[in-house]
Every structure is written in structure tokens, then in C-alpha cells.
Amino acid sequence: MFDKVLIANRGEIALRIHRACKEMGIQTVAVHSTADADAMHVRLADEAVCIGPPPPKDSYLNMAAILSAANVTGADAVHPGVGFLAENADFAEMVEEHGHVFIGPTPDHIRVMGDKIAAKEKAIEIGIPVVPGSDGGIETDAEAIAVGRDIGFPLIIKAAAGGGGRGMKVANSLEELPEALALCRAEAKAAFGDDAVYMERYLGHPRHIEVQVLADGMGGCIHLGERDCSLQRRHQKVVEEAPSPALNDIERDRIGSVVTSALSKMKYRSAGTIEFLYEDGEFFFIEMNTRLQVEHPISEMICGIDLVREQIRVATGMPVRIQQEDIVFSGHSIECRVTAEDPETFAPSPGRITDYHAPGGLGVRVDSHLYSGYSIPPFYDSLVSKLVVHGANRNECLMRLRRALEEYVIGGIKTTIPLHEQIISEQAFINGDYDIHWLEKWMGLK
Ligand code: MV4
């Protein structure tokens, strides 16, 4: 086992990884920008290294500074967390070249899944169902028109280098196609420096359902069920739940075994997530995330598995020690992403926390780096807390979530707690009857 792990991240996720390390008897090294000198992850870590000024490109994305912190502290391994360098294949490669273990997949797997065209080809190769569409990239208008006639309208054009919802254009007819293609290409070039695009049938009312996996790089692979992440605004997830209210046990087992046998074939290593659009009873692969995800705790809650702990274990070269048959999916879990934003306008609301009281009690988990007196810096992601609740069933989970939101006090800044209270009181949400467009439509109405 590792003696010392460097955590190349900040905020609640740095804390989450620190906690897993301490429970495994592993020493932790925090890295931080000058804006984060007083952050909780820095306070709790065994050692801390300042890696640069506030802008992410000068600190949390500064590979040379992070590698030198790993070298001077003698860290055995580097955990990238989520965001920042977590899906940067070059960083993973450099970590290993410098003699540390990268707690994540191989650089090759990160690279393949980072290119959406290559990822889709890989998905087809290993037997995962994909959205019908172009066979690889689209080069010319003539090719686009031929594919358009074939798959029909509406269709969606996506950037190969895209992700997180950027670089997509919908075309409703053959007439709209050339302009949509040109716009998508231009946007992709400007945003990612790569104008490669591909086409897919446009699904009008899907849910976003993703399957959590853990694999050991030697063919061992298990799944921790699915998460329904359909409640999002501008491609930012707001509320997630596990299991999905839309699936039954048979569908869950079926998609779970499709995914685990595929990733086992690929010899995938580490935690990973396969994202699907789910519409009219069918799953369509859209992307794979080769990292831990923000919403991983809801899977942990229903499976009783510490995913970060297991991710660290497989990074040392050990096989996955949990058998699929031994995973018992128990009850229901919901996560509310609490951000430091105005709940009406979503304007950022950084500043000093004057009062802090987190909810507690059975089935309530708060993953947050906040404390009374802490000042939220304005330079980073607005996520300040994940309120994660577990109940014996969905109704118990909802009742518990409601009382936990009522108990939660975060004084001095605006947060999205009131928005969460409203969402979970809506009949459509209570019924589990929502798709990827529901939240934005509802916000437009209220
Ligand atoms: C789609 C789609 C409909 N049809 N692909 C958006 C982010 C990127 N990961 C994939 N996205 C979509 N791909 C086809 N063929 C609709 C979306 C989409 C979406 C997907 C998941 C969660 C929220 C979304 C919001 C708008 C559009």
C-alpha cells in the first residue's frame, strides 16, 4: 500500500480523498494556490505545498509545480480528484514518468475516451450500444447530407473534442444541415482547437443515466449500479439520485453486465462512469468519464462501498476484491449540489461564511469543506457542499432530504439550498417523472 498520496485538487473533493487516505493509514499531501492557504483540505493534510497564484492555470493546472511537490514530499502516488487534471492523459503520463503512481486509468484509456469519436468507436468495439449516427467523423457537406438522409431529422452534430455540453448543434432538416455543420465546426475550433465533428440521431426527451464501474486493469470489473443525473441546468448537474426511478431490476442488471463485460474486455483500470441517454426503454452510450465523479457518493450509499478506497487499492496493482454477486443494492440515495450562487439568478456569491451548521442524523452525509469563518475564494467552481441522503426507499429518502435541507445553515453568502427545497417539493420530481429538459423548463415557468 502507498505510504503517502498527493491530492492534486481542492475543495470538497480534496477532503473526500483525504478522508479515504487517512482511513487506510496513508499520509496526505495537499497542494494549494495562494487563495486556498486557509482551506480545509490544507488544514487537515499531513503536509501542504503552495503551488502558485489563484488562477487555475498557474496552480491546480500547473503540472510542473504539482510534480515538483510530489517529488519534494516523496509521495508514492497522485490522486487527481475531479476536474482540473483528472482527465489529462499527458499529466497521467508525466506522473508515471516521474516515478509516482497515477490513481486513475492508463494514459491511453484517458486519451481514447477524451476523443468522442474514438470513444464511440471503442464503445461499439467492446459491445456497448451507441446512438445511431455517422461512422466516425464527418468531413464534407456531401457526407453530412448522405448521413442526414440515412439517420433522419432532427439530428445533432457534436464536436469530437467536446464534452460538458459544449460544441453541439441540432439540425431539424436537410436545409438546416450545412449551416449547423459550419457553426459546430467553427465553435469546436474556437473552443477546443479541433474542428472534428460527428453526427447522431437527436433524442428529444431522454434521461441521463450513468453506470458506475470499478476495474483493476486485469479484467476484473464490477458495477455499482446507475445514477440518474437528468436534473441539470446548462449542463451543470443539480440533483442526482440512485437508483434511477425509471429503471427496474432487470434493466439494471442488463445494462450493468453489458458495461462490466465491455470494460473487462478493454482491461480498464480504476473508477469510471459510462454515460447513457435513456429513452423509451433503450440505452445509448454518449461518453465515458475516466475519473471519479462528483456524484459518486450516492452510489457509495446504496452499495455500502467506499469507492475512493477501492480506487486507491486497485491503483497499487491489487485486483478488485468485491464480487458483483456480493453487492447488495440497498434503499435510495439523493445528492443535492449546494453552490455559492443566488438561487434565482445563479450569480456567483463568494464571501465569508458567518454561520455554519450542517445537518446530521441517520442517513445524512455532508461532503463539504466549509467551516464558520471560511472565505470562499472567487476563482473556482461554486460547489460548496454535497448534501447526500440515504433512505430505505425513495419516499423515506425524500422526507429525510427535506428535513436535512431545513436544518442546513450556511450564513453570510447566498446558496442554492432554497432552490433544492423547491425542486424536491414539485410533483414531477416526487413522482420521478422528469427528463434532461425538465429542470430548465420548470425554472422558466416558476
Ligand atoms: C445528445 C442529446 C440528444 N441526442 N445526443 C449534452 C452533453 C453531452 N454529454 C451530450 N448531450 C446531449 N447529447 C443525442 N444524440 C442531448 C444532449 C443533452 C443533454 C444530455 C445529458 C444531460 C443534459 C443534456 C442537456 C441538453 C442536451
Side-chain angles (χ1 to χ4, degrees):
M1 186 44 67
F2 306 129
D3 292 318
K4 195 186 274 191
V5 167
L6 181 141
I7 302 166
N9 217 297
R10 63 177 303 283
E12 66 81 22
I13 200 70
L15 206 53
R16 167 70 190 89
I17 296 159
H18 167 86
R19 286 172 171 154
C21 288
K22 294 320 287 181
E23 291 179 15
M24 298 173 83
I26 299 171
Q27 299 283 102
T28 59
V29 180
V31 293
H32 65 91
S33 71
T34 52
D36 275 340
D38 294 328
M40 191 55 105
H41 78 281
V42 175
R43 290 190 173 192
L44 290 183
D46 296 295
E47 293 169 73
V49 180
C50 182
I51 50 167
K57 68 169 179 21
D58 300 323
S59 48
Y60 298 103
L61 293 172
N62 183 344
M63 301 192 220
I66 294 166
L67 287 168
S68 98
N71 285 330
V72 300
T73 57
D76 304 303
V78 174
H79 196 308
V82 321
F84 295 127
L85 298 168
E87 289 175 293
N88 186 312
D90 296 338
F91 179 65
E93 222 157 58
M94 286 166 72
V95 167
E96 310 248 296
E97 278 165 12
H98 283 74
H100 314 282
V101 173
F102 180 76
I103 303 176
T106 61
D108 283 351
H109 284 163
I110 299 174
R111 210 165 269 132
V112 169
M113 294 305 173
D115 178 316
K116 306 305 162 197
I117 296 175
K120 205 172 164 183
E121 276 165 3
K122 180 59 93 179
I124 295 168
E125 179 193 322
I126 60 182
I128 298 177
V130 302
V131 192
S134 58
D135 201 359
I138 291 284
E139 302 293 336
T140 63
D141 278 13
E143 209 182 321
I145 288 164
V147 174
R149 284 191 205 282
D150 189 35
I151 62 180
F153 292 86
L155 58 73
I156 186 164
I157 309 163
K158 296 182 178 181
R166 293 198 305 162
M168 304 193 309
K169 279 277 170 295
V170 176
N172 291 295
S173 65
L174 213 46
E175 291 67 52
E176 286 181 26
L177 192 50
E179 189 182 323
L181 188 65
L183 276 172
C184 189
R185 231 186 252 295
E187 259 184 42
K189 186 77 192 169
F192 317 109
D194 175 1
D195 71 354
V197 298
Y198 62 108
M199 283 165 48
E200 285 181 346
R201 191 169 100 207
Y202 179 73
L203 304 173
H205 54 94
R207 299 177 80 112
H208 173 129
I209 297 181
E210 56 185 33
V211 180
Q212 175 69 57
V213 299
L214 175 76
D216 58 21
M218 299 174 286
C221 182
I222 55 172
H223 73 84
L224 280 72
E226 83 287 1
R227 297 183 285 261
D228 197 318
C229 307
S230 302
L231 290 172
Q232 56 82 44
R233 177 188 171 270
R234 301 195 179 165
H235 303 289
Q236 297 294 316
K237 293 168 184 167
V238 177
V239 178
E240 303 100 340
E241 61 179 315
S244 169
L247 295 193
N248 60 43
D249 292 349
I250 294 164
E251 291 175 289
R252 171 166 313 108
D253 285 353
R254 195 180 299 140
I255 196 65
S257 38
V258 165
V259 162
T260 50
S261 55
L263 291 199
S264 160
K265 226 177 279 176
M266 189 176 142
K267 298 271 192 307
Y268 185 74
R269 180 190 72 208
S270 198
T273 298
I274 319 289
E275 293 187 354
F276 293 96
L277 295 180
Y278 176 81
E279 189 172 88
D280 302 331
E282 273 191 275
F283 284 96
F284 303 96
F285 169 90
I286 45 169
E287 283 172 31
M288 175 169 184
N289 297 319
T290 53
R291 54 167 161 83
L292 188 70
Q293 289 194 226
V294 170
E295 62 273 26
H296 77 277
I298 57 175
S299 302
E300 298 186 314
M301 300 302 272
I302 63 164
C303 296
I305 293 172
D306 182 333
L307 195 54
V308 179
R309 179 188 191 113
E310 299 309 318
Q311 187 191 27
I312 293 170
R313 283 188 95 254
V314 296
T316 68
M318 287 188 243
V320 173
R321 59 172 165 180
I322 304 156
Q323 307 290 310
Q324 190 68 55
E325 309 80 73
D326 295 336
I327 297 180
V328 182
F329 296 108
S330 171
H332 201 92
S333 183
I334 303 180
E335 169 177 283
C336 290
R337 292 194 188 194
V338 178
T339 58
E341 291 174 317
D342 183 308
E344 302 275 339
T345 64
F346 294 92
S349 179
R352 189 169 173 276
I353 307 294
T354 52
D355 302 286
Y356 188 74
H357 180 265
L362 183 66
V364 177
R365 166 177 173 179
V366 178
D367 278 21
S368 174
H369 55 296
L370 295 186
Y371 59 87
S372 192
Y374 174 62
S375 282
I376 299 166
F379 311 104
Y380 310 108
D381 192 276
S382 61
L383 183 70
V384 292
S385 178
K386 303 187 307 202
L387 174 56
V388 181
V389 163
H390 182 265
N393 53 53
R394 192 167 183 269
N395 186 54
E396 186 178 292
C397 187
L398 269 173
M399 296 298 283
R400 185 164 284 155
L401 179 55
R402 189 167 292 120
R403 77 94 177 140
L405 284 165
E406 278 169 16
E407 273 179 44
Y408 209 164
V409 178
I410 303 177
I413 58 160
K414 287 179 181 167
T415 78
T416 49
I417 290 172
L419 173 72
H420 287 294
E421 290 180 314
Q422 286 182 31
I423 293 169
I424 69 162
S425 301
E426 276 298 320
Q427 200 57 50
F429 180 73
I430 293 167
N431 296 344
D433 180 17
Y434 55 82
D435 63 22
I436 60 168
H437 303 296
W438 182 82
L439 185 62
E440 286 176 14
K441 270 187 216 154
W442 172 76
M443 292 199 319
L445 297 176
K446 86 179 167 77

